[in-house]
């Protein structure tokens, strides 16, 4: 993922935020840190930090859902933190500090450089570096004696992470986590990299060697280091500046959309779908753009091709090993081009965006297959990533202890299967099958299970998956039925029964680490998912879960006194020292608008309006247009960035461009329409040159161009005639619309802001739909099928 440094699509990144390959070697002022080779998986673990060695501390602590008694030789000040990532480093022999004034003042007082280590709790290579280097007594002493050591959770402080990742990418050509950066006491970076092995490996210097060289350079060549770092910062401030030219306007949407489509088509991989070969990421922002592009280009060959690219990719991902066929949900990415062997981490933001993409594919195609995948994603989230407070946890780790035991965690151990396990568990004979086949025979055929395992050695460079199987659908149900001489219905029943048995067995295995941190932004994304899937399917249970999520955000992550979103909470406890960032506001506002359109409870619309006013006050750039990612008044953040890439998560500016447009239609506030245009103008150069970097923002630009369709339903929310009209609207994919419900009361929230709604009425006392666009309304309709036809007629090519 890029952080406003205008690199091209080849930049290296890692795990949770990777939009391309993280896998490259990083040059850092003469050093080379190791990311991973193309077969490896990315960096990630963590522990807690405070002061130096003391007597062993024994306590009971949770690990992967199990309680275990642990004795610690060291305990540092990170033991007092709430972040799961920081807590993972609390027993290192390193004098860790959290990011904050205490560490900054100590660096100035002792005139020492700062070592900043950044990661997140489910990051594989962070785990590796913690185990190899931060648990090492010698390395711990070198760090503690010569540096002020700061450990930072990138998910809690994305503002800090973005600044130093921008530096690392600019100076080394790549980036990822764990990120290792050395700073002056004034927080200015002078050397950076990612993962370092602990000791030298051939010509590759180890972490100890790097530390000794930096110590020597700081003592003997400090002025040159500081000067070099300052020059780079000046260049970065200039290079990352994004602002609108005076009197400028956004580029033409059809031209930008066509270029974005062409760039995506160029990188599309036809056989298995997706973009590029390996590693291959889900990239929901690309898929949503393609379906939006089709919606306004339905009769063109390009529109048809865009839809085919999106639908094929979604289908192949759902059939692949990146999709957990036993316990639902999607893993982070595939290490190969066929979606077979994943990096097994599961992130909340992937589940949220993919649920929306799959339910959109259902709206477009009417195929139940896509709706089922969307529902299964939300089933996984409800079961495994949900807190009793109504919030959603951040992630499940890729690594866990194998069921067979042993001290070391392995990637995918919780998810993979040996053939013998499958045969023992599914030993019943399938009645009526050819040759007396067992349930295991049918299951193994369908999901590609092999006696020797189905993971090729080149896909398993660390040998963790030897003899194991990653389930992947190899045949259609029809072909499997024909192979064993039974009906399709029988196969479906057998496979469902087998998956249930395997799910029951899997929960007896040691679970991966669960990151129970609840982030405002990712909860906003998941709020959208439950609201949109629930609305399309008319599923009241999903809508009720969406309302619980909305209530959680307001009760636990909103400080009504200071009118501030809080970034996160862990275990129900807020982190009041960390105020929300732009993405927290933008993603929650989007979620609230989706929740309003799903429930028509105006309290959500009112809060969205309130949050947008607050976002404007905190982050809007009056000079250049668009929003800064973090509070520009924070002096510890050396670069004020406007993130310019839709990656693993959409850019908050992209989401804000759509939010502003939608809110202007709900409230009549023309200033928000103008702000949306100014924002798009600020990103004009990026949109015109490389729209593939901002497909979500291209969708916002298209919404401005084609204008939003206003669909107003006059009726009572719980009446069947109203429900019929709403179901007709929700059955269609209408990317550029706002949906409102009014009972005609002039005192209502909407009528107060949009007086024209008071003139809209019910025909003969029956729920009635009014469809308006460009200040023109069609004749009101009361029949759901007639409304469908009207909306479809208005969805043709423009």
């Amino acid at each position: 993922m890029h952080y406003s440094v205008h690199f091209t699509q080849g930049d290296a990144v890692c795990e949770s935020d990777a939009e391309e390959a993280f896998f490259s070697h990083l040059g850092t002022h003469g050093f080379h840190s190791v990311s991973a080779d193309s077969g490896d998986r990315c960096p990630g673990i963590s522990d807690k930090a405070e002061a130096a060695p003391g007597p062993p501390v024994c306590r009971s602590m949770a690990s992967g859902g199990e309680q275990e008694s642990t004795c610690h030789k060291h305990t540092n000040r990170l033991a007092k933190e709430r972040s799961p990532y920081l807590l993972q480093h609390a027993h290192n022999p390193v004098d860790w500090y959290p990011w904050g004034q205490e560490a900054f003042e100590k660096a100035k007082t002792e005139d020492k450089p700062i070592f900043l280590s950044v990661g997140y709790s489910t990051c594989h290579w962070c785990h590796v570096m913690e185990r190899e280097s931060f648990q090492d007594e010698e390395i711990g002493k070198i760090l503690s004696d010569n540096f002020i050591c700061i450990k930072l959770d990138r998910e809690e402080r994305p503002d800090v992470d973005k600044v130093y990742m921008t530096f690392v990418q600019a100076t080394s050509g790549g980036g990822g986590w764990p990120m290792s950066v050395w700073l002056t006491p004034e927080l200015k970076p002078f050397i950076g990299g990612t993962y370092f092995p602990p000791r030298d490996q051939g010509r590759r210097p180890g972490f100890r060697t790097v530390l000794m060289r930096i110590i020597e350079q700081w003592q003997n060549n400090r002025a040159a280091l500081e000067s070099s770092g300052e020059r780079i910062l000046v260049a970065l401030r200039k290079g990352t500046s994004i602002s609108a030219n005076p009197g400028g306007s956004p580029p033409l949407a059809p031209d930008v959309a066509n270029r974005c489509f062409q760039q995506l088509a160029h990188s599309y991989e036809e056989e298995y779908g997706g973009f590029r070969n390996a590693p291959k990421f889900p990239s929901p922002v690309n898929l949503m753009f393609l379906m939006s592009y089709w919606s306004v280009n339905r009769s063109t060959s390009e529109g048809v091709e865009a839809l085919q690219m999106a639908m094929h990719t979604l289908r192949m991902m759902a059939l692949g090993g990146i999709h957990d066929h036993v316990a639902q949900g999607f893993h982070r990415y595939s290490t190969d081009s066929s979606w077979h062997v994943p990096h097994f981490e599961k992130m909340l933001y992937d589940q949220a965006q993919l649920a929306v993409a799959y339910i959109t594919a259902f709206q477009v195609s009417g195929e139940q297959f896509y709706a089922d995948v969307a529902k299964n994603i939300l089933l996984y989230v409800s079961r495994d990533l949900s807190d009793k407070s109504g919030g959603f946890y951040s992630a499940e780790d890729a690594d866990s202890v194998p069921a067979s035991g042993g001290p070391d965690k392995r990637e995918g151990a919780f998810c993979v299967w040996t053939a013998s396990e499958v045969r023992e568990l599914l030993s019943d004979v399938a009645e009526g099958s050819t040759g007396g086949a067992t349930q295991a025979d049918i299951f193994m055929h369908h999901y590609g299970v092999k006696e020797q395992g189905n993971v090729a050695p080149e896909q398993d460079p660390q040998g963790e998956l030897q003899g194991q199987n990653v389930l992947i659908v190899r045949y259609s149900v029809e072909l499997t039925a024909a192979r064993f001489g039974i009906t399709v219905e029988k196969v479906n029943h057998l496979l469902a029964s087998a998956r249930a048995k395997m799910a029951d067995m899997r929960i007896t295995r040691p679970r991966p680490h669960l990151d129970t941190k609840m982030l405002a932004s990712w909860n906003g994304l998941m709020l959208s998912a439950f609201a949109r899937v629930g609305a399309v399917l008319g599923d009241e249970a999903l809508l009720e879960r969406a309302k619980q999520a909305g209530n959680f955000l307001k009760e636990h992550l909103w400080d009504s006194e200071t009118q501030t979103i809080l970034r996160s909470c862990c275990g129900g406890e807020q982190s009041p020292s960390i105020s929300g960032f732009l993405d927290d506001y933008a993603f929650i506002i989007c979620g609230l608008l989706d929740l309003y359109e799903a429930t028509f409870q105006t309290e959500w619309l009112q809060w969205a309006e309130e949050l947008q006013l607050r976002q404007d006050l905190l982050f809007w750039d009056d000079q250049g247009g668009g929003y800064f990612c973090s509070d520009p008044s924070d002096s510890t953040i050396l670069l004020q960035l406007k993130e310019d890439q839709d990656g693993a998560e959409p850019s908050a500016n992209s989401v804000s461009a759509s939010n502003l447009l939608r809110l202007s239609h709900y409230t009549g506030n023309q200033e928000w329409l103008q702000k949306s245009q100014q924002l798009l103008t600020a990103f004009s150069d990026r949109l015109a040159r490389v729209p593939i970097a901002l497909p979500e923002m291209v969708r916002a630009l298209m919404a401005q161009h084609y204008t939003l369709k206003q669909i107003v339903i006059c009726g009572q929310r719980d009446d069947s005639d109203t429900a019929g009209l709403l179901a007709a609207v929700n059955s269609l994919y209408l990317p550029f619309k706002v949906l409102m419900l009014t009972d005609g009361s002039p005192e209502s929230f909407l009528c107060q802001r949009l007086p024209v709604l008071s003139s809209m009425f019910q025909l003969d006392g029956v729920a009635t739909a009014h469809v308006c666009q460009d200040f023109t309304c069609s004749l009101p309709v009361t029949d759901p099928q007639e409304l469908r036809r009207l909306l479809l007629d208005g969805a043709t090519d423009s």
Side-chain angles (χ1 to χ4, degrees), residues 748-793:
S748 69
F749 173 86
L750 282 173
C751 287
Q752 287 286 307
R753 284 157 177 73
L754 301 171
V756 68
L757 295 182
S758 298
S759 65
M760 295 184 178
F761 52 88
Q762 294 183 355
L763 291 175
D764 302 322
V766 177
T768 303
H770 301 258
V771 180
C772 306
Q773 193 168 13
D774 287 332
F775 308 103
T776 302
C777 295
S778 57
L779 292 174
V781 297
T782 58
D783 179 67
Q785 289 306 313
E786 190 176 347
L787 176 58
R788 262 184 70 93
R789 286 193 294 272
L790 175 63
L791 294 172
L792 283 171
D793 288 343

Short mmCIF file of all heavy atoms in Angstrom, two decimals, residues 748-793:
data_model
loop_
_atom_site.label_atom_id
_atom_site.label_comp_id
_atom_site.label_asym_id
_atom_site.label_seq_id
_atom_site.Cartn_x
_atom_site.Cartn_y
_atom_site.Cartn_z
N SER A 748 -40.30 15.73 10.61
CA SER A 748 -39.27 14.69 10.57
C SER A 748 -37.91 15.27 10.20
O SER A 748 -37.81 16.36 9.61
CB SER A 748 -39.65 13.60 9.56
OG SER A 748 -39.58 14.11 8.24
N PHE A 749 -36.86 14.52 10.54
CA PHE A 749 -35.48 14.95 10.26
C PHE A 749 -35.31 15.28 8.78
O PHE A 749 -34.77 16.33 8.41
CB PHE A 749 -34.51 13.85 10.69
CG PHE A 749 -33.07 14.10 10.31
CD1 PHE A 749 -32.25 14.85 11.12
CD2 PHE A 749 -32.54 13.57 9.14
CE1 PHE A 749 -30.93 15.08 10.79
CE2 PHE A 749 -31.22 13.79 8.79
CZ PHE A 749 -30.41 14.55 9.62
N LEU A 750 -35.75 14.38 7.90
CA LEU A 750 -35.54 14.58 6.47
C LEU A 750 -36.35 15.75 5.94
O LEU A 750 -35.85 16.56 5.15
CB LEU A 750 -35.87 13.30 5.71
CG LEU A 750 -34.82 12.19 5.76
CD1 LEU A 750 -35.34 10.92 5.12
CD2 LEU A 750 -33.53 12.63 5.07
N CYS A 751 -37.62 15.86 6.34
CA CYS A 751 -38.46 16.95 5.83
C CYS A 751 -37.97 18.30 6.32
O CYS A 751 -38.12 19.31 5.61
CB CYS A 751 -39.92 16.73 6.23
SG CYS A 751 -40.72 15.39 5.32
N GLN A 752 -37.38 18.34 7.51
CA GLN A 752 -36.82 19.59 8.00
C GLN A 752 -35.67 20.06 7.10
O GLN A 752 -35.51 21.26 6.87
CB GLN A 752 -36.30 19.41 9.43
CG GLN A 752 -37.39 19.30 10.48
CD GLN A 752 -38.04 20.64 10.77
OE1 GLN A 752 -37.37 21.62 11.08
NE2 GLN A 752 -39.36 20.68 10.66
N ARG A 753 -34.89 19.13 6.60
CA ARG A 753 -33.73 19.49 5.77
C ARG A 753 -34.07 19.52 4.29
O ARG A 753 -33.41 20.21 3.50
CB ARG A 753 -32.57 18.51 6.04
CG ARG A 753 -31.89 18.82 7.37
CD ARG A 753 -31.16 17.62 7.93
NE ARG A 753 -30.47 17.97 9.17
CZ ARG A 753 -31.08 18.18 10.35
NH1 ARG A 753 -32.41 18.06 10.41
NH2 ARG A 753 -30.39 18.50 11.43
N LEU A 754 -35.05 18.74 3.90
CA LEU A 754 -35.47 18.68 2.49
C LEU A 754 -36.98 18.95 2.42
O LEU A 754 -37.79 18.03 2.32
CB LEU A 754 -35.15 17.30 1.90
CG LEU A 754 -33.68 16.85 1.93
CD1 LEU A 754 -33.57 15.39 1.53
CD2 LEU A 754 -32.82 17.72 1.02
N PRO A 755 -37.36 20.21 2.47
CA PRO A 755 -38.79 20.54 2.49
C PRO A 755 -39.58 19.98 1.31
O PRO A 755 -40.78 19.73 1.42
CB PRO A 755 -38.79 22.08 2.45
CG PRO A 755 -37.47 22.46 3.05
CD PRO A 755 -36.51 21.41 2.60
N VAL A 756 -38.89 19.72 0.20
CA VAL A 756 -39.59 19.18 -0.97
C VAL A 756 -40.24 17.83 -0.66
O VAL A 756 -41.23 17.45 -1.30
CB VAL A 756 -38.62 19.05 -2.17
CG1 VAL A 756 -37.58 17.96 -1.91
CG2 VAL A 756 -39.37 18.76 -3.47
N LEU A 757 -39.68 17.10 0.32
CA LEU A 757 -40.26 15.79 0.65
C LEU A 757 -41.69 15.91 1.17
O LEU A 757 -42.48 14.97 1.03
CB LEU A 757 -39.39 15.08 1.69
CG LEU A 757 -37.96 14.69 1.27
CD1 LEU A 757 -37.26 13.95 2.41
CD2 LEU A 757 -37.95 13.84 0.01
N SER A 758 -42.01 17.06 1.76
CA SER A 758 -43.37 17.23 2.29
C SER A 758 -44.41 17.25 1.19
O SER A 758 -45.60 17.01 1.44
CB SER A 758 -43.44 18.53 3.10
OG SER A 758 -42.57 18.48 4.20
N SER A 759 -43.98 17.54 -0.04
CA SER A 759 -44.93 17.59 -1.16
C SER A 759 -45.12 16.23 -1.81
O SER A 759 -45.98 16.07 -2.68
CB SER A 759 -44.46 18.59 -2.21
OG SER A 759 -43.24 18.14 -2.81
N MET A 760 -44.31 15.24 -1.38
CA MET A 760 -44.44 13.89 -1.94
C MET A 760 -45.50 13.14 -1.12
O MET A 760 -45.62 13.32 0.08
CB MET A 760 -43.10 13.16 -1.93
CG MET A 760 -42.07 13.81 -2.85
SD MET A 760 -40.51 12.90 -2.94
CE MET A 760 -39.62 13.90 -4.12
N PHE A 761 -46.24 12.28 -1.79
CA PHE A 761 -47.43 11.73 -1.15
C PHE A 761 -47.63 10.27 -1.54
O PHE A 761 -46.98 9.75 -2.45
CB PHE A 761 -48.66 12.54 -1.58
CG PHE A 761 -48.77 12.66 -3.09
CD1 PHE A 761 -49.43 11.70 -3.83
CD2 PHE A 761 -48.19 13.73 -3.75
CE1 PHE A 761 -49.53 11.80 -5.21
CE2 PHE A 761 -48.27 13.83 -5.15
CZ PHE A 761 -48.94 12.86 -5.87
N GLN A 762 -48.56 9.64 -0.84
CA GLN A 762 -48.98 8.29 -1.17
C GLN A 762 -50.16 8.35 -2.13
O GLN A 762 -51.03 9.20 -1.99
CB GLN A 762 -49.40 7.52 0.09
CG GLN A 762 -48.27 7.26 1.05
CD GLN A 762 -48.72 6.44 2.26
OE1 GLN A 762 -49.89 6.15 2.40
NE2 GLN A 762 -47.79 6.05 3.10
N LEU A 763 -50.15 7.47 -3.11
CA LEU A 763 -51.30 7.36 -4.03
C LEU A 763 -52.35 6.45 -3.40
O LEU A 763 -52.07 5.30 -3.07
CB LEU A 763 -50.85 6.77 -5.37
CG LEU A 763 -49.96 7.67 -6.26
CD1 LEU A 763 -49.51 6.89 -7.49
CD2 LEU A 763 -50.68 8.94 -6.66
N ASP A 764 -53.53 7.00 -3.21
CA ASP A 764 -54.66 6.21 -2.69
C ASP A 764 -54.31 5.50 -1.38
O ASP A 764 -54.74 4.37 -1.13
CB ASP A 764 -55.13 5.19 -3.73
CG ASP A 764 -55.55 5.86 -5.03
OD1 ASP A 764 -56.16 6.94 -4.95
OD2 ASP A 764 -55.24 5.29 -6.10
N GLY A 765 -53.47 6.15 -0.56
CA GLY A 765 -53.14 5.58 0.73
C GLY A 765 -52.22 4.38 0.69
O GLY A 765 -52.05 3.68 1.69
N VAL A 766 -51.60 4.13 -0.46
CA VAL A 766 -50.70 2.98 -0.63
C VAL A 766 -49.26 3.50 -0.71
O VAL A 766 -49.01 4.58 -1.26
CB VAL A 766 -51.05 2.20 -1.92
CG1 VAL A 766 -50.08 1.05 -2.14
CG2 VAL A 766 -52.48 1.70 -1.85
N ALA A 767 -48.33 2.73 -0.17
CA ALA A 767 -46.92 3.13 -0.24
C ALA A 767 -46.54 3.43 -1.68
O ALA A 767 -46.87 2.68 -2.61
CB ALA A 767 -46.04 2.01 0.32
N THR A 768 -45.82 4.53 -1.86
CA THR A 768 -45.55 5.05 -3.20
C THR A 768 -44.08 5.43 -3.32
O THR A 768 -43.49 5.99 -2.39
CB THR A 768 -46.42 6.30 -3.47
OG1 THR A 768 -47.80 5.95 -3.29
CG2 THR A 768 -46.20 6.82 -4.87
N ALA A 769 -43.50 5.12 -4.49
CA ALA A 769 -42.10 5.44 -4.75
C ALA A 769 -42.00 6.62 -5.70
O ALA A 769 -42.69 6.67 -6.73
CB ALA A 769 -41.37 4.24 -5.35
N HIS A 770 -41.15 7.59 -5.36
CA HIS A 770 -40.84 8.73 -6.22
C HIS A 770 -39.36 8.64 -6.57
O HIS A 770 -38.51 8.58 -5.68
CB HIS A 770 -41.13 10.04 -5.50
CG HIS A 770 -42.55 10.20 -5.05
ND1 HIS A 770 -43.47 10.98 -5.72
CD2 HIS A 770 -43.22 9.66 -3.99
CE1 HIS A 770 -44.64 10.93 -5.09
NE2 HIS A 770 -44.51 10.13 -4.04
N VAL A 771 -39.06 8.62 -7.85
CA VAL A 771 -37.68 8.51 -8.32
C VAL A 771 -37.29 9.80 -9.02
O VAL A 771 -37.93 10.19 -10.01
CB VAL A 771 -37.50 7.31 -9.27
CG1 VAL A 771 -36.04 7.21 -9.74
CG2 VAL A 771 -37.92 6.02 -8.58
N CYS A 772 -36.26 10.46 -8.49
CA CYS A 772 -35.86 11.77 -9.01
C CYS A 772 -34.37 11.77 -9.34
O CYS A 772 -33.57 11.09 -8.68
CB CYS A 772 -36.15 12.86 -7.99
SG CYS A 772 -37.85 12.89 -7.39
N GLN A 773 -34.03 12.56 -10.36
CA GLN A 773 -32.63 12.71 -10.75
C GLN A 773 -32.50 14.02 -11.52
O GLN A 773 -33.36 14.34 -12.34
CB GLN A 773 -32.16 11.53 -11.61
CG GLN A 773 -30.65 11.46 -11.79
CD GLN A 773 -30.21 10.13 -12.40
OE1 GLN A 773 -31.03 9.36 -12.89
NE2 GLN A 773 -28.93 9.83 -12.34
N ASP A 774 -31.42 14.76 -11.23
CA ASP A 774 -31.21 16.04 -11.91
C ASP A 774 -32.43 16.95 -11.80
O ASP A 774 -32.85 17.56 -12.79
CB ASP A 774 -30.84 15.82 -13.38
CG ASP A 774 -29.43 15.30 -13.55
OD1 ASP A 774 -28.60 15.58 -12.69
OD2 ASP A 774 -29.19 14.60 -14.54
N PHE A 775 -33.01 17.03 -10.63
CA PHE A 775 -34.15 17.91 -10.35
C PHE A 775 -35.40 17.56 -11.14
O PHE A 775 -36.30 18.38 -11.30
CB PHE A 775 -33.78 19.38 -10.62
CG PHE A 775 -32.50 19.80 -9.93
CD1 PHE A 775 -31.31 19.91 -10.65
CD2 PHE A 775 -32.49 20.07 -8.58
CE1 PHE A 775 -30.14 20.29 -10.01
CE2 PHE A 775 -31.31 20.45 -7.94
CZ PHE A 775 -30.14 20.55 -8.65
N THR A 776 -35.45 16.34 -11.64
CA THR A 776 -36.63 15.89 -12.38
C THR A 776 -37.12 14.58 -11.79
O THR A 776 -36.32 13.67 -11.54
CB THR A 776 -36.29 15.66 -13.87
OG1 THR A 776 -35.78 16.88 -14.41
CG2 THR A 776 -37.54 15.24 -14.65
N CYS A 777 -38.44 14.48 -11.56
CA CYS A 777 -39.00 13.27 -10.96
C CYS A 777 -39.89 12.56 -11.96
O CYS A 777 -40.65 13.21 -12.71
CB CYS A 777 -39.80 13.61 -9.70
SG CYS A 777 -38.80 14.31 -8.37
N SER A 778 -39.79 11.23 -11.96
CA SER A 778 -40.70 10.44 -12.79
C SER A 778 -42.05 10.35 -12.09
O SER A 778 -42.19 10.73 -10.92
CB SER A 778 -40.12 9.05 -13.02
OG SER A 778 -39.89 8.41 -11.78
N LEU A 779 -43.04 9.82 -12.77
CA LEU A 779 -44.35 9.65 -12.17
C LEU A 779 -44.26 8.68 -11.00
O LEU A 779 -43.53 7.68 -11.07
CB LEU A 779 -45.34 9.13 -13.21
CG LEU A 779 -45.71 10.11 -14.33
CD1 LEU A 779 -46.58 9.41 -15.36
CD2 LEU A 779 -46.42 11.33 -13.76
N PRO A 780 -44.97 8.94 -9.90
CA PRO A 780 -44.93 8.02 -8.75
C PRO A 780 -45.49 6.65 -9.10
O PRO A 780 -46.39 6.54 -9.94
CB PRO A 780 -45.78 8.74 -7.70
CG PRO A 780 -46.63 9.69 -8.46
CD PRO A 780 -45.85 10.09 -9.67
N VAL A 781 -44.94 5.62 -8.47
CA VAL A 781 -45.38 4.25 -8.73
C VAL A 781 -45.65 3.55 -7.41
O VAL A 781 -45.05 3.87 -6.38
CB VAL A 781 -44.34 3.45 -9.56
CG1 VAL A 781 -44.14 4.06 -10.93
CG2 VAL A 781 -43.01 3.37 -8.82
N THR A 782 -46.55 2.59 -7.45
CA THR A 782 -46.90 1.83 -6.24
C THR A 782 -46.62 0.34 -6.38
O THR A 782 -46.59 -0.38 -5.39
CB THR A 782 -48.40 2.00 -5.90
OG1 THR A 782 -49.18 1.56 -7.03
CG2 THR A 782 -48.72 3.46 -5.60
N ASP A 783 -46.39 -0.12 -7.61
CA ASP A 783 -46.18 -1.54 -7.84
C ASP A 783 -44.68 -1.86 -7.84
O ASP A 783 -43.90 -1.22 -8.56
CB ASP A 783 -46.78 -1.94 -9.20
CG ASP A 783 -46.55 -3.41 -9.50
OD1 ASP A 783 -47.12 -4.25 -8.80
OD2 ASP A 783 -45.75 -3.69 -10.43
N PRO A 784 -44.25 -2.83 -7.03
CA PRO A 784 -42.82 -3.14 -6.96
C PRO A 784 -42.20 -3.50 -8.30
O PRO A 784 -41.08 -3.07 -8.60
CB PRO A 784 -42.77 -4.33 -5.99
CG PRO A 784 -43.97 -4.17 -5.13
CD PRO A 784 -45.02 -3.60 -6.02
N GLN A 785 -42.91 -4.26 -9.14
CA GLN A 785 -42.35 -4.63 -10.45
C GLN A 785 -42.22 -3.42 -11.36
O GLN A 785 -41.26 -3.29 -12.12
CB GLN A 785 -43.22 -5.71 -11.10
CG GLN A 785 -43.13 -7.07 -10.43
CD GLN A 785 -41.69 -7.56 -10.30
OE1 GLN A 785 -40.91 -7.51 -11.25
NE2 GLN A 785 -41.33 -8.02 -9.10
N GLU A 786 -43.18 -2.52 -11.25
CA GLU A 786 -43.10 -1.29 -12.05
C GLU A 786 -41.92 -0.44 -11.59
O GLU A 786 -41.23 0.17 -12.40
CB GLU A 786 -44.42 -0.51 -11.92
CG GLU A 786 -44.53 0.65 -12.90
CD GLU A 786 -45.88 1.34 -12.79
OE1 GLU A 786 -46.80 0.79 -12.15
OE2 GLU A 786 -46.00 2.45 -13.36
N LEU A 787 -41.68 -0.42 -10.26
CA LEU A 787 -40.53 0.31 -9.74
C LEU A 787 -39.23 -0.32 -10.22
O LEU A 787 -38.30 0.40 -10.61
CB LEU A 787 -40.58 0.32 -8.21
CG LEU A 787 -39.39 0.97 -7.51
CD1 LEU A 787 -39.21 2.42 -7.93
CD2 LEU A 787 -39.55 0.88 -5.98
N ARG A 788 -39.17 -1.63 -10.24
CA ARG A 788 -37.98 -2.32 -10.76
C ARG A 788 -37.71 -1.92 -12.20
O ARG A 788 -36.57 -1.60 -12.58
CB ARG A 788 -38.16 -3.84 -10.69
CG ARG A 788 -37.52 -4.52 -9.49
CD ARG A 788 -37.68 -6.03 -9.58
NE ARG A 788 -36.87 -6.60 -10.64
CZ ARG A 788 -35.64 -7.07 -10.48
NH1 ARG A 788 -35.08 -7.04 -9.29
NH2 ARG A 788 -34.97 -7.58 -11.49
N ARG A 789 -38.77 -1.94 -13.03
CA ARG A 789 -38.60 -1.57 -14.44
C ARG A 789 -38.13 -0.13 -14.58
O ARG A 789 -37.25 0.18 -15.39
CB ARG A 789 -39.92 -1.78 -15.20
CG ARG A 789 -40.27 -3.23 -15.47
CD ARG A 789 -41.40 -3.37 -16.48
NE ARG A 789 -42.66 -2.83 -15.95
CZ ARG A 789 -43.54 -3.54 -15.24
NH1 ARG A 789 -43.28 -4.82 -14.98
NH2 ARG A 789 -44.65 -3.00 -14.81
N LEU A 790 -38.70 0.75 -13.76
CA LEU A 790 -38.32 2.16 -13.81
C LEU A 790 -36.85 2.34 -13.46
O LEU A 790 -36.12 3.09 -14.13
CB LEU A 790 -39.20 2.96 -12.83
CG LEU A 790 -38.88 4.44 -12.66
CD1 LEU A 790 -39.09 5.19 -13.96
CD2 LEU A 790 -39.77 5.05 -11.57
N LEU A 791 -36.40 1.66 -12.42
CA LEU A 791 -35.01 1.79 -11.99
C LEU A 791 -34.05 1.16 -12.99
O LEU A 791 -32.95 1.68 -13.23
CB LEU A 791 -34.83 1.15 -10.61
CG LEU A 791 -35.57 1.86 -9.46
CD1 LEU A 791 -35.48 1.04 -8.18
CD2 LEU A 791 -35.00 3.26 -9.24
N LEU A 792 -34.46 0.04 -13.58
CA LEU A 792 -33.62 -0.60 -14.60
C LEU A 792 -33.52 0.25 -15.85
O LEU A 792 -32.46 0.36 -16.46
CB LEU A 792 -34.16 -1.99 -14.94
CG LEU A 792 -33.86 -3.09 -13.92
CD1 LEU A 792 -34.63 -4.36 -14.26
CD2 LEU A 792 -32.37 -3.38 -13.85
N ASP A 793 -34.63 0.86 -16.24
CA ASP A 793 -34.61 1.73 -17.42
C ASP A 793 -33.67 2.91 -17.20
O ASP A 793 -33.02 3.38 -18.13
CB ASP A 793 -36.02 2.26 -17.72
CG ASP A 793 -36.92 1.18 -18.29
OD1 ASP A 793 -36.39 0.15 -18.73
OD2 ASP A 793 -38.15 1.38 -18.27
#
